[in-house]
């Protein structure tokens, strides 16, 4: 949490040794570059990135609320039509944003 503006962030830590062992350096560099180029309400945005001797770090916008799959699993009844349309639209808008930038998501 940033004490200056009270914003919360999520920190992704990646061990350099694991990246090198699995030959993922190019993948991690590409991931960071893509995330740095994105700015959408429907995609988790990258705030900053940095490294130390052992790790790479990506500081990202914190989205509270947990995993959507878990939310659906814990519900006693299925989503209503309006809720389902809302969540589907959010996913579609995020995917459209990526498609407009020629970014493939799997």
């Amino acid at each position: 949490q940033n004490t200056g503006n009270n914003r919360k962030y999520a920190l992704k830590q990646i061990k350099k040794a694991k990246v090198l062992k699995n030959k993922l350096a190019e993948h991690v560099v590409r991931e960071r570059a893509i995330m740095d180029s994105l700015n959408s309400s429907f995609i988790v945005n990258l705030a900053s990135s940095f490294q130390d001797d052992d790790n790479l770090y990506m500081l990202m916008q914190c989205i509270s609320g947990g995993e959507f799959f878990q939310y659906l699993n814990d519900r006693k009844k299925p989503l209503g039509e309006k809720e389902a349309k809302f969540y589907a639209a959010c996913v579609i808008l995020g995917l459209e944003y990526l498609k407009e930038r020629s970014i493939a998501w799997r």
Side-chain angles (χ1 to χ4, degrees):
Q1 184 167 340
N2 182 328
T3 55
N5 62 16
N6 219 25
R7 288 185 185 161
K8 293 183 180 181
Y9 296 92
L11 184 64
K12 179 177 181 176
Q13 175 187 3
I14 306 166
K15 297 208 173 291
K16 287 182 179 180
K18 190 173 183 178
V19 170
L20 295 174
K21 178 183 175 192
N22 295 316
K23 300 178 182 172
L24 295 172
E26 186 178 326
H27 171 80
V28 173
V29 168
R30 189 172 36 247
E31 176 186 3
R32 190 224 164 264
I34 289 170
M35 288 189 68
D36 193 41
S37 73
L38 302 177
N39 184 18
S40 169
S41 298
F42 302 99
I43 307 280
V44 174
N45 293 295
L46 182 68
S48 185
S49 61
F50 46 96
Q51 62 181 304
D52 61 24
D53 291 340
D54 300 317
N55 299 292
L56 304 168
Y57 301 95
M58 287 192 236
L59 189 66
M60 296 175 281
Q61 170 186 30
C62 182
I63 307 297
S64 300
E67 298 245 352
F68 187 57
F69 177 78
Q70 192 64 48
Y71 169 73
L72 293 174
N73 231 17
D74 292 345
R75 290 179 55 89
K76 295 186 184 349
K77 60 181 182 174
L79 291 175
E81 184 177 347
K82 286 182 181 180
E83 290 174 299
K85 285 180 178 179
F86 171 78
Y87 288 119
C90 290
V91 171
I92 290 167
L93 288 169
L95 292 172
E96 281 181 344
Y97 179 84
L98 294 173
K99 184 179 182 298
E100 288 168 1
R101 284 149 187 80
S102 300
I103 298 170
W105 189 266
R106 59 181 176 114

